């Protein structure tokens, strides 16, 4: 099995910051840090190990793949990654849907 190196583009963090706050919400809504600790590692693993089996994000551009998934905190997340020449995947952007409270035992 090939395991590619994965890095995150600053635009990914910009997307994340625009969708989640820096702190948990008043009802325990997840923060950016919660997402980075709980959901991002699984996303990175999928791109690192399964890039070739992910859906092509843009017709004619097999170097861009998309992962649609659920997570610990997110109802759904859509992540776009690009495979670079040096066999590194760069996570370019994310769109998330948060449904909260999802797990009342989270606190």
């Amino acid at each position: 099995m090939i395991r590619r190196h994965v890095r995150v583009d600053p635009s990914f963090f910009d997307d994340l910051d625009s969708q989640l706050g820096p702190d948990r919400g008043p009802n325990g809504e997840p923060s950016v840090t919660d997402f980075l600790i709980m959901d991002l590692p699984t996303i990175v693993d999928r791109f690192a190990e399964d890039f070739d089996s992910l859906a092509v994000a843009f017709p004619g551009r097999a170097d861009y793949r998309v992962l649609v998934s659920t997570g610990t905190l997110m109802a759904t997340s859509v992540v776009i990654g690009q495979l670079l020449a040096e066999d590194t995947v760069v996570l370019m952007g994310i769109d998330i849907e948060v449904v909260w409270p999802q797990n009342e035992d989270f606190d």
Side-chain angles (χ1 to χ4, degrees):
M1 172 195 319
I2 296 173
R3 181 168 175 91
R4 293 182 166 96
H5 178 73
V6 176
R7 64 182 175 85
V8 181
D9 189 80
S11 62
F12 180 94
F13 292 113
D14 292 342
D15 287 349
L16 193 58
D17 288 342
S18 72
Q19 297 172 70
L20 296 175
D23 300 310
R24 286 195 189 147
N27 299 309
E29 297 91 346
S31 68
V32 169
T33 302
D34 293 330
F35 176 84
L36 293 174
I37 292 170
M38 299 181 84
D39 284 347
L40 185 59
T42 302
I43 292 168
V44 168
D45 286 345
R46 289 289 309 277
F47 274 95
E49 297 171 1
D50 301 327
F51 183 86
D52 294 326
S53 65
L54 298 176
V56 174
F58 308 110
R61 294 295 308 263
D63 57 326
Y64 282 91
R65 301 294 173 114
V66 62
L67 172 65
V68 179
S69 65
T70 60
T72 304
L73 302 174
M74 305 304 129
T76 58
S77 64
V78 179
V79 179
I80 301 284
Q82 182 185 22
L83 180 62
L84 302 180
E86 64 270 8
D87 216 28
T88 296
V89 176
V90 179
L91 302 183
M92 305 296 290
I94 183 168
D95 187 26
I96 58 176
E97 179 183 357
V98 178
V99 175
W100 201 259
Q102 187 173 5
N103 179 354
E104 295 179 12
D105 295 329
F106 180 68
D107 289 330

